[in-house]
């Protein structure tokens, strides 16, 4: 077994501040670098901040002029606000392999007493473990992992994760169909009129995990994806420089990957500072004949950040965002009313998101660094 690659120490997100460009670098509005970063551990996101994030969730690479128009501000103001958020780790724009390009599983890990944080930190350093959640419930950690095929995924999880000191047991739930994920989810802070001027986005669509059959990106495309992962708003000149190619080649390759559905763009944020401190993970079951209709309906609920069918006796995996534990009962009442065929088998509360789609987060949900994603190699 090959030792998993442990990335070098991650620098703070602030090291990239000021480098964001709009998708048309020739028309970029330079951000105002004089804006001071917010201070204090309890900085909350304002309604203006949330509206800006909502706009970028709808159109992650739209020019600042278009984003500003949707928000009723000028392009320079929109860019300046975004740089403040990004420098403080309150929001970030990223990219990653789409569901159809990878085999994905959700791994439930039970740890030995007193070893959870150690296991969590070690798992978060692995580039193919793209999300890590510390939980309270039937298991201690929930890991989201990706590989080129089910065999590589299974062997990587059992040999590497299963062999970590402090791991007592694990259970793998292989993703089969994705009905909605974080790239589809919206904070819903914009006025409807403003959103109409941006891409329609936010409408989840059914996607089979690994539909591309374990196809790997070329080295050139992978280099572009790595650069987009750090900042998906980089202009084509910067992307080309990062990948060792001209801006025209970078533009052509990125647009092809987006058109082919190989990559997903996403604007993310510090959820606890947006009033969403609680994520609940549900294992649920529905009759197979109702699975697709139920999965699609669940993915359209505003509280649902991820909905996927999975292997095992409970065929649905849900990740739900709530304003607090007091929202659990009302949400489950909504489920009972709208999808009466759904049977909840287990609920697990996430107490800390250690890593989300490659980004390392602090206890307030702010980005502190990034571990570039990569497939496991054994």
């Amino acid at each position: 077994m090959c030792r998993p690659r442990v990335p070098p120490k991650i620098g703070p997100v602030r090291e990239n501040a000021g480098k964001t460009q709009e998708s048309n670098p020739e028309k970029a509005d330079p951000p105002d670098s004089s804006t001071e970063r917010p201070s204090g551990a309890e900085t909350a996101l304002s309604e203006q901040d949330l509206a800006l994030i909502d706009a970028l969730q709808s159109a992650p690479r739209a020019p600042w002029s278009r984003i500003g128009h949707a928000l009723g501000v000028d392009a320079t103001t929109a860019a300046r606000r975004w740089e403040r958020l990004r420098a403080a780790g309150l929001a970030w724009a990223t990219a990653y392999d789409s569901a159809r390009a990878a085999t994905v599983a959700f791994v439930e890990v039970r740890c030995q007493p007193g070893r959870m944080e150690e296991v969590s930190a070690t798992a978060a350093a692995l580039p193919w473990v793209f999300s890590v959640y510390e939980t309270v419930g039937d298991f201690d950690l929930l890991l989201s992992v990706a590989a080129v095929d089910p065999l590589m995924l299974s062997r990587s999880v059992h040999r590497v994760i299963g062999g970590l000191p402090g791991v007592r047991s694990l259970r793998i739930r292989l993703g089969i169909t994705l009905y909605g994920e974080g790239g589809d989810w919206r904070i819903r802070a914009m006025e409807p009129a403003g959103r109409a001027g941006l891409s329609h986005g936010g409408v989840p669509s059914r996607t089979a995990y690994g539909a591309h059959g374990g196809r790997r990106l070329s080295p050139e495309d992978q280099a572009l994806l790595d650069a987009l992962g750090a900042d998906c708003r980089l202009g084509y000149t910067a992307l080309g420089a990062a990948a060792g190619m001209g801006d025209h080649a970078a533009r052509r390759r990125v647009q092809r990957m987006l058109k082919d559905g190989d990559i997903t763009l996403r604007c993310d944020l510090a959820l606890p500072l947006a009033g969403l401190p609680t994520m609940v993970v549900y294992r649920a079951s529905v009759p197979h004949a109702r699975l697709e209709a139920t999965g699609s309906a669940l993915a359209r609920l505003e509280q649902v950040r991820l909905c996927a069918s999975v292997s095992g006796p409970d065929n649905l995996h849900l990740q739900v965002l709530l304003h607090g534990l007091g929202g659990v009962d009302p949400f489950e009442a909504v489920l009972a009313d709208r999808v009466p065929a759904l049977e909840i088998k287990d609920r697990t509360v996430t107490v800390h998101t250690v890593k989300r789609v490659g980004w390392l987060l602090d206890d307030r949900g702010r980005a502190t660094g990034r571990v570039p994603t990569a497939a496991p190699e054994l």
Side-chain angles (χ1 to χ4, degrees):
M1 177 183 70
C2 296
R3 183 179 298 274
R5 178 173 67 86
V6 178
K9 185 177 180 180
I10 306 298
V13 171
R14 295 183 181 86
E15 68 185 6
N16 291 324
K19 296 182 181 179
T20 298
Q21 301 178 29
E22 62 180 302
S23 57
N24 185 346
E26 290 75 20
K27 298 181 180 179
D29 295 293
D32 183 353
S33 60
S34 66
T35 301
E36 294 184 0
R37 291 194 297 266
S39 60
E42 302 301 320
T43 303
L45 290 160
S46 69
E47 286 301 317
Q48 288 182 331
D49 295 335
L50 295 176
L52 174 58
I53 292 167
D54 192 5
L56 289 170
Q57 286 178 332
S58 296
R61 283 184 62 79
W64 285 123
S65 55
R66 190 172 159 208
I67 295 294
H69 179 74
L71 297 173
V73 299
D74 60 65
T76 301
T77 298
R80 184 178 65 246
R81 288 176 181 171
W82 173 247
E83 286 304 321
R84 176 181 59 80
L85 295 176
R86 204 170 69 92
L90 296 171
W92 53 98
T94 188
Y96 47 92
D97 288 316
S98 68
R100 69 185 63 188
T103 298
V104 171
F106 307 99
V107 182
E108 301 165 2
V109 180
R110 291 190 176 98
C111 301
Q112 295 171 1
R115 306 295 293 272
M116 181 186 71
E117 290 185 56
E118 174 189 349
V119 175
S120 172
T122 304
L126 298 172
W128 48 274
V129 178
F130 60 88
S131 296
V132 177
Y133 304 97
E134 295 179 358
T135 64
V136 174
D138 191 42
F139 47 89
D140 303 305
L141 295 173
L142 175 66
L143 313 180
S144 300
V145 304
V148 295
D149 57 52
L151 177 60
M152 179 61 75
L153 187 147
S154 177
R155 287 180 175 175
S156 299
V157 170
H158 283 291
R159 294 179 185 180
V160 180
I161 303 299
L164 293 178
V167 171
R168 189 172 63 181
S169 66
L170 57 81
R171 180 165 50 193
I172 303 173
R173 300 189 183 279
L174 189 67
I176 297 173
T177 302
L178 179 66
Y179 297 105
E181 54 112 37
D184 304 315
W185 183 83
R186 301 289 181 265
I187 193 67
R188 302 190 185 194
M190 288 182 67
E191 294 294 333
R195 185 178 290 105
L198 302 172
S199 59
H200 64 280
V203 180
S205 59
R206 180 185 183 278
T207 304
Y209 282 111
H212 284 179
R215 186 177 72 193
R216 293 178 181 265
L217 294 176
S218 68
E220 295 83 4
D221 287 349
Q222 185 62 54
L224 287 170
L225 178 56
D226 290 343
L228 288 166
D231 182 359
C232 79
R233 287 191 58 79
L234 283 176
Y236 290 112
T237 300
L239 287 172
M245 64 183 69
D247 56 344
H248 294 295
R251 179 190 299 270
R252 184 173 62 254
R253 286 177 175 272
V254 169
Q255 291 179 349
R256 173 182 50 76
M257 286 191 288
L258 289 170
K259 180 181 177 182
D260 292 346
D262 288 332
I263 61 175
T264 298
L265 305 181
R266 172 164 159 180
C267 180
D268 219 331
L269 70 155
L271 291 167
L273 298 177
L276 293 167
T278 301
M279 187 177 90
V280 181
V281 180
Y282 287 96
R283 284 195 282 116
S285 182
V286 69
H288 182 74
R290 307 283 295 276
L291 180 60
E292 183 168 349
T294 301
S296 297
L298 289 170
R300 284 165 171 77
L301 295 178
E302 64 179 88
Q303 301 94 335
V304 175
R305 188 172 172 91
L306 184 143
C307 178
S309 67
V310 294
S311 62
D314 309 321
N315 56 7
L316 278 174
H317 174 94
L318 296 176
Q319 295 179 10
V320 175
L321 293 177
L322 301 171
H323 295 293
L325 291 176
V328 173
D329 288 344
F331 173 72
E332 293 182 12
V334 170
L335 291 182
D337 179 60
R338 299 192 186 183
V339 280
L342 186 74
E343 182 179 357
I344 294 174
K345 298 299 185 69
D346 180 71
R347 64 182 63 77
T348 299
V349 176
T350 295
V351 294
H352 176 41
T353 300
V354 179
K355 181 183 185 183
R356 188 162 68 234
V357 195
W359 290 80
L360 302 173
L361 309 182
D362 66 13
D363 59 1
R364 298 300 291 160
R366 297 168 297 190
T368 60
R370 177 174 172 266
V371 180
T373 58
E377 296 180 3
L378 294 177

